[in-house]
């Protein structure tokens, strides 16, 4: 595990809260660690994708499945308060997706993911992506056992989010600036959002993307494929 991952995972385990919340987070972290061990034993890379609502997570994952679905075995868990609409959209492009309906809870917890995994055949899966509930607040505190946390920040929501919601960016390894095709029409500064994000987390990586205009999607897919190969390499080295 490189230093960037270590720093982000350490931040996920650091939060100020009352006793009841602390117990909840400790229980969550216990399940998250069980998930992490299972993913390691299966050589499965797990990505937790977070963002505000409407930042383009599902559209990005549809395009991701189109690009690399025939190169690796990938599956997706999708969290939403109600409906299976996002999972249906992903199934329409040929990816095996399972919806986690939270019933009003504004984030996914490790126990929800663990239970969903029991209903998803993960044998031989190279990449498991968890699309979290659209929210920059609560999901930041809940480790799901992921290898990497990726956060989208859309040009339509303003460039001040990293400083307003610092914990999410502190606990992410990669920030995707989405909907960059709309930059000519919006008062959004990529330089400003990157500067703020790196002020919060100096190690965060950044990619600019547009799923509809085919900007940065190849770079994103390459990033995923490289992480998949890295995890397989770590597992192979451990056996030697």
């Amino acid at each position: 595990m490189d230093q960037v991952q270590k720093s982000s995972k350490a931040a996920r385990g650091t939060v100020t809260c009352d006793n009841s919340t602390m117990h909840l987070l400790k229980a969550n972290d216990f399940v998250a660690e069980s998930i992490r061990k299972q993913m390691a034993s299966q050589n499965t890379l797990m990505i937790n994708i977070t963002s505000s609502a409407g930042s383009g997570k599902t559209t990005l994952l549809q395009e991701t499945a189109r690009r690399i679905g025939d190169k690796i075995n990938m599956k997706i868990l999708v969290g939403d308060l109600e409906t299976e609409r996002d999972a249906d959209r992903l199934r329409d492009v040929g990816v095996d997706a399972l919806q986690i309906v939270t019933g009003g809870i504004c984030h996914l917890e490790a126990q929800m993911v663990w239970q969903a995994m029991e209903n998803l055949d993960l044998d031989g899966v190279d990449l498991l992506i968890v699309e979290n509930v659209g929210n920059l607040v609560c999901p930041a505190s809940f480790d799901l056992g992921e290898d990497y946390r990726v956060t989208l920040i859309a040009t339509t929501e303003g460039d001040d989010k990293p400083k307003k919601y610092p914990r999410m960016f502190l606990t992410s390894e990669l920030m995707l600036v989405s909907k960059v095709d709309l930059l000519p029409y919006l008062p959004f500064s990529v330089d400003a959002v990157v500067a703020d994000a790196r002020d919060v987390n100096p190690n965060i990586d950044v990619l600019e993307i547009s799923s509809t205009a085919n900007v940065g999607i190849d770079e994103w897919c390459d990033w995923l494929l490289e992480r998949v190969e890295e995890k397989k390499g770590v597992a192979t080295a451990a056996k030697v």
Side-chain angles (χ1 to χ4, degrees):
M1 185 186 302
D2 62 26
Q3 190 58 44
V4 175
Q5 278 188 278
K6 288 180 180 177
S7 299
S8 297
K9 285 186 173 63
R12 286 170 212 172
T14 305
V15 63
T16 301
C17 52
D18 58 28
N19 287 337
S20 60
T21 304
M22 184 64 72
H23 288 313
L24 173 63
L25 291 173
K26 287 181 68 175
N28 179 87
D29 289 347
F30 178 82
V31 179
E33 191 57 30
S34 297
I35 293 172
R36 188 167 286 113
K37 289 177 180 177
Q38 179 176 334
M39 295 295 93
S41 70
Q42 297 177 191
N43 300 336
T44 300
L45 180 75
M46 183 172 170
I47 303 291
N48 178 11
I49 295 189
T50 63
S51 77
S52 300
S55 292
K57 296 189 299 297
T58 306
T59 303
L60 173 63
L61 292 179
Q62 286 180 298
E63 191 59 31
T64 302
R66 293 187 185 102
R67 301 286 182 100
I68 64 174
D70 60 345
K71 297 179 180 178
I72 59 172
N73 187 350
M74 63 179 290
K75 299 196 177 185
I76 301 175
L77 296 174
V78 187
D80 262 320
L81 276 67
E82 299 292 346
T83 82
E84 290 210 2
R85 291 182 178 180
D86 284 353
D88 287 338
R89 289 174 59 190
L90 292 165
R91 294 182 195 117
D92 286 344
V93 296
V95 66
D96 190 1
L98 180 66
Q99 189 82 39
I100 302 173
V101 178
T102 68
I105 298 175
C106 62
H107 58 276
L108 290 178
E109 297 177 9
Q111 184 65 36
M112 299 176 189
V113 173
W114 182 263
Q115 291 172 340
M117 286 168 56
E118 294 178 346
N119 296 297
L120 199 64
D121 183 6
L122 294 175
D123 286 345
V125 171
D126 302 301
L127 174 63
L128 176 63
I129 296 179
V130 179
E131 180 186 343
N132 217 314
V133 179
N135 182 353
L136 285 176
V137 184
C138 301
S141 296
F142 288 85
D143 183 5
L144 302 182
E146 68 267 25
D147 293 289
Y148 295 92
R149 181 175 292 175
V150 176
T151 295
L152 275 70
I153 175 78
T155 58
T156 51
E157 59 184 310
D159 54 27
D160 58 349
K161 294 300 183 292
K163 287 293 184 73
K164 294 175 70 174
Y165 306 99
R167 183 169 176 79
M168 182 59 80
F169 296 88
L170 176 63
T171 59
S172 297
E173 284 82 20
L174 176 64
M175 178 176 72
L176 300 178
V177 182
S178 65
K179 305 186 182 182
V180 294
D181 55 306
L182 299 179
L183 280 170
Y185 314 104
L186 298 168
F188 184 99
S189 168
V190 174
D191 289 341
V193 79
V194 172
D196 275 1
R198 287 187 170 150
D199 194 29
V200 171
N201 178 1
N203 294 316
I204 197 167
D205 289 326
V206 179
L207 289 175
E208 297 178 34
I209 65 167
S210 169
S211 300
T212 57
N214 188 26
V215 176
I217 305 303
D218 285 340
E219 290 81 359
W220 157 245
C221 289
D222 287 344
W223 185 90
L224 285 174
L225 293 174
E226 287 169 7
R227 302 292 90 72
V228 167
E229 289 305 312
E230 284 176 3
K231 184 141 193 182
K232 290 180 179 179
V234 169
T236 300
K239 293 178 181 178
V240 175

